[in-house]
Amino acid sequence: MSDQPVDYHPMWDELGLDLPSHDALLEAVGQLYGDAYLTQEDRPKGMDYLDFVVSEVHGLRIKELDDFRKTGGKVFGTFCLYVPEEIIRAAGGWSVGLCSGAEFAYDQVEQIMPRNTCALIKSFMGFKLAKVCPYLESADLVIGETTCDGKKKAYELLGELHNTWVMELPQMKREQDVALWKAEVRELLKKAEELTGNTVTAESLRAAIKEVNDKRCALQRIAAACTADPAPISGKDRLLATQVAFYDDVPRFTQMMNALADELEGRVASGEGVAPKGAKRVLVTGTPMALPNWKIHDIIEKAGAVVVGEEMCTGSRYYQDLVPEDGDTVDEMVDAIAEKYLGINCACFTPNKGRTDDVIRLAKAYGADGVIDLSLQFCGLYEMESHGIETAVREAGLPVLKITTDYSMEDAGQLSTRVEAFLEML
Ligand code: BJ8
């Protein structure tokens, strides 16, 4: 970590970014981060690493991707949890999550897609149209997936502007669906081999499974520390760790997150927390919160509660399950990967009872006093599931607050009032 400021403008220019718009985006994210993160007290020291990563989010990491590509490496951009990182890494590629967590260039987006599209989709199209995302511009291939209708159709539009390839994700989990998904994962493997020029071997796939499992285990340790009261880390900081997991260097991130987990376990042992013992504890469930979307966590924690867990793709859905490491052949391991990924409980599946079970299980495990169910506006999937989640959580004896929002801060005041009233009631 160097203190020397580096001017990355030539690199961004080479990637084809619109420099004035990109400068404006970086400035806005910096302000948001300062307000949401750097105002927190008693943060674990291990968060210094994530502060550094965010300060270099479009700098050092992009330089690493750039250096990798200049030596022939290939970068794969992904938008969804179902795209298996293990396959990409086994072929020698790097996978980066394309964040889509900020409102940008909606005026341009709304010329090519309906205004009533969810913020996440509008965000990635806005980043593309305005040329402000160096991760997207560094991606040799973007891998989409047939999850919700909005994304599925948006990939057609994105495909006109960027090299894009779409995996077909079934929407049920019957035997024939598992077979279809296994075939899709095999197609991805072929595609990754074709793009990188490398062959996936049993050794490379086994190593990739292990590396990604290790990353998930580090995040599991951080999550487990939050079963303690007082919680040793804020929900915002934990959320950031999961957001960064999607694009940071895998072994380095794992090492730093294990160091953070060591520190958190020490804090738990000595009863040290980020909020007083007995502070209200909230589990958040719903649509993912892509970087730099920290809005709801920020509102909840500024109101004095602690977010102790997330049943979402930027949370437990990302790290709770591992791929078995005992496969012998590429075929066996590909099957195991496909099965693990199909076990993720996204609302694009029907039925999706596994998600409800997860919410109740996690609320109990983390000692939550209440659940906040969050949907991005115009996300039919999560808005539709909201009723079932509410009913199940209430039956389990816990209060629920349903929130539908987007990335703008226009409703922040109103949401704060609702969250404060909810916390009062807990
Ligand atoms: S596995 S949650 S990352 S699809 S919010 S774009 S669903 S309209 S993000 Fe998701 Fe994969 Fe599922 Fe997770 Fe559509 Fe809804 Fe928008 Fe969404």
Side-chain angles (χ1 to χ4, degrees), residues 84-383:
E85 183 174 4
E86 293 86 345
I87 300 283
I88 294 166
R89 291 187 71 77
W94 285 3
S95 161
V96 290
L98 299 169
C99 22
S100 331
E103 192 174 299
F104 211 84
Y106 277 16
D107 50 337
Q108 292 180 60
V109 174
E110 286 169 11
Q111 287 176 20
I112 61 167
M113 58 174 63
R115 203 180 62 77
N116 57 352
T117 301
C118 91
L120 198 143
I121 297 173
K122 277 173 142 178
S123 173
F124 79 67
M125 276 315 286
F127 283 179
K128 182 64 204 177
L129 294 171
K131 300 194 182 84
V132 292
C133 179
Y135 289 92
L136 185 48
E137 300 312 323
S138 299
D140 297 288
L141 180 68
V142 167
I143 304 174
E145 69 323 303
T146 57
T147 44
C148 67
D149 287 353
K151 278 214 236 169
K152 198 159 56 192
K153 301 314 280 183
Y155 294 137
E156 291 176 14
L157 297 170
L158 185 67
E160 291 170 15
L161 307 167
H162 204 105
N163 189 19
T164 302
W165 191 71
V166 178
M167 296 181 78
E168 181 172 356
L169 182 77
Q171 316 270 271
M172 296 177 85
K173 296 183 181 178
R174 301 160 305 178
E175 210 176 306
Q176 60 267 43
D177 301 308
V178 178
L180 169 83
W181 181 237
K182 285 181 177 172
E184 282 298 298
V185 174
R186 285 193 166 76
E187 283 298 304
L188 173 68
L189 188 147
K190 267 199 251 160
K191 187 78 187 170
E193 286 185 330
E194 194 183 291
L195 189 64
T196 59
N198 299 324
T199 303
V200 172
T201 63
E203 288 66 40
S204 71
L205 191 50
R206 193 174 299 115
I209 290 172
K210 169 94 175 72
E211 265 179 348
V212 179
N213 277 351
D214 288 351
K215 170 166 66 164
R216 297 192 210 278
C217 284
L219 291 170
Q220 285 176 4
R221 286 183 65 200
I222 293 171
C226 294
T227 54
D229 184 14
I233 183 170
S234 69
K236 252 187 299 196
D237 279 340
R238 208 192 40 255
L239 170 66
L240 182 66
T242 315
Q243 291 172 330
V244 169
F246 286 89
Y247 67 87
D248 199 10
D249 175 77
V250 177
R252 178 180 62 209
F253 176 81
T254 303
Q255 188 193 348
M256 300 311 283
M257 291 307 100
N258 274 321
L260 175 62
D262 290 343
E263 184 186 351
L264 298 184
E265 287 160 9
R267 283 185 148 212
V268 170
S270 60
E272 199 182 339
V274 282
K277 190 172 165 64
K280 296 297 175 205
R281 302 164 68 84
V282 173
L283 179 86
V284 180
T285 178
T287 46
M289 296 178 182
L291 201 81
N293 177 16
W294 306 300
K295 182 172 161 181
I296 296 300
H297 278 53
D298 192 42
I299 288 173
I300 298 169
E301 296 196 327
K302 281 187 174 152
V306 187
V307 180
V308 287
E310 295 84 15
E311 188 289 315
M312 39 180 53
C313 290
T314 42
S316 61
R317 277 181 231 144
Y318 179 72
Y319 52 73
Q320 74 180 9
D321 296 318
L322 305 179
V323 177
E325 292 180 17
D326 55 0
D328 283 327
T329 63
V330 169
D331 253 1
E332 276 175 23
M333 287 183 259
V334 169
D335 282 351
I337 289 170
E339 283 164 15
K340 180 266 174 213
Y341 277 81
L342 208 60
I344 297 168
N345 295 317
C346 173
C348 64
F349 280 88
T350 185
N352 191 30
K353 179 153 183 319
R355 179 175 163 228
T356 320
D357 296 344
D358 280 347
V359 172
I360 309 288
R361 180 178 53 78
L362 291 170
K364 288 184 178 158
Y366 291 106
D369 299 298
V371 173
I372 293 189
D373 178 24
L374 175 83
S375 301
L376 277 180
Q377 193 180 21
F378 308 124
C379 172
L381 297 176
Y382 283 86
E383 288 192 273

